[in-house]
Amino acid sequence: SVGGLAMVAGPVLGGLLSALFGWRSIFLINLPVGLLALWMAYRFTEETRERHARAIDLPGQILGILTVVALTAAIIEGEPLGWSHPAILGATAIFLLAGATFLAVESRTAEPMMPLSLFRNPVFTAAALVGTMLNVSFYGTIFLLSLYFQDGLGMSPLNAGLAFLPMTGLIAVTNIMSGRVAVRWGNRLPIVLGLAIDTFGFVALALQLRGDAGYAHIWWPLLLIGFGMALAVPAMIGALLATVEKTRAGIAS
């Protein structure tokens, strides 16, 4: 529910801050919010009792960072430089090499940053795959539509943020309903139902989003996307965390 409320507030506040103080303000606002979160965590949360000292997996950290940075650079610069540009081919090669080395190191390290043993559980692997697909599709849609609303439809940053309210507002409400459905009928039903609704919403959005499409053409697919996302995600997280012991809940999530 808190995550849903953040999705409601984020685009609107981001648009408001950008309109009043410039785009840099959306990053600066995270400083006081982060400090408040650190204080609240220190003040109100309790340490897990089953604790043991863990060494820092420095090779895994470095290889993980290198893998993500190389992939991100290749994706962002591929279009302007050309996909056959030496820099893009080099970044792709680094991504593949660093990624393969990361998996090899993590499989042999005593205390890995990302324990590959978690993926031996098929429920965990399926939940992680569902989470990946949902995050790529949902946040990718927000990114692309933010550009479309402002550059294509001429909306201000604030109005672009408000345009997401039908989708994000539904998430805050549906998150609560998803938890109750999962408790009564299990995690599978809301996950499958949510993915089906999401798929229909994305297909509808793709069909509606033509060059001359206005906001009136796409607001209802956004409702379906928000509803399906909010239905599937809490159950997906619940299914994932149910496969690991409490002490590994942080790395599992």
Side-chain angles (χ1 to χ4, degrees):
S1 299
V2 172
L5 291 174
M7 286 187 178
V8 174
V12 179
L13 291 178
L16 183 62
L17 288 169
S18 298
L20 295 178
F21 306 107
W23 62 267
R24 291 175 177 84
S25 61
I26 67 173
F27 296 99
L28 292 174
I29 194 65
N30 287 284
L31 294 176
V33 173
L35 290 173
L36 176 62
L38 286 173
W39 176 80
M40 292 180 68
Y42 177 78
R43 176 68 177 79
F44 296 108
T45 59
E46 297 181 1
E47 288 283 4
T48 304
R49 293 178 182 177
E50 300 86 359
R51 298 186 66 207
H52 67 281
R54 294 185 74 244
I56 296 177
D57 179 17
L58 193 59
Q61 296 275 1
I62 294 173
L63 287 168
I65 292 171
L66 187 60
T67 301
V68 175
V69 168
L71 175 62
T72 305
I75 292 174
I76 291 176
E77 298 297 336
E79 182 66 25
L81 292 180
W83 296 105
S84 59
H85 191 279
I88 303 304
L89 295 177
T92 303
I94 292 173
F95 159 68
L96 295 173
L97 180 61
T101 307
F102 172 78
L103 294 176
V105 168
E106 295 303 275
S107 66
R108 291 172 173 80
T109 302
E111 295 180 336
M113 177 186 75
M114 188 180 75
L116 300 181
S117 59
L118 293 174
F119 295 95
R120 293 173 186 164
N121 188 306
V123 176
F124 180 92
T125 301
L129 179 61
V130 169
T132 300
M133 292 189 299
L134 286 173
N135 277 281
V136 169
S137 59
F138 182 79
Y139 291 107
T141 299
I142 289 182
F143 174 74
L144 292 174
L145 286 183
S146 296
L147 299 176
Y148 181 74
F149 288 157
Q150 294 177 77
D151 297 339
L153 301 183
M155 292 184 180
S156 67
L158 177 57
N159 286 337
L162 291 172
F164 285 109
L165 276 181
M167 178 172 66
T168 56
L170 196 60
I171 291 175
V173 178
T174 311
N175 274 161
I176 301 174
M177 184 181 74
S178 173
R180 294 180 178 178
V181 171
V183 167
R184 185 166 182 177
W185 288 292
N187 289 317
R188 182 175 297 180
L189 176 62
I191 291 176
V192 173
L193 186 59
L195 288 176
I197 295 172
D198 249 354
T199 300
F200 185 77
F202 281 118
V203 170
L205 180 63
L207 294 175
Q208 293 291 324
L209 201 57
R210 301 180 299 273
D212 59 344
Y215 185 71
H217 296 88
I218 61 176
W219 67 268
W220 62 270
L222 296 183
L223 283 178
L224 295 174
I225 292 171
F227 183 76
M229 178 86 175
L231 196 61
V233 167
M236 178 268 297
I237 295 174
L240 185 144
L241 292 180
T243 65
V244 300
E245 59 270 24
K246 186 177 179 180
T247 54
R248 306 181 85 182
I251 186 62
S253 64

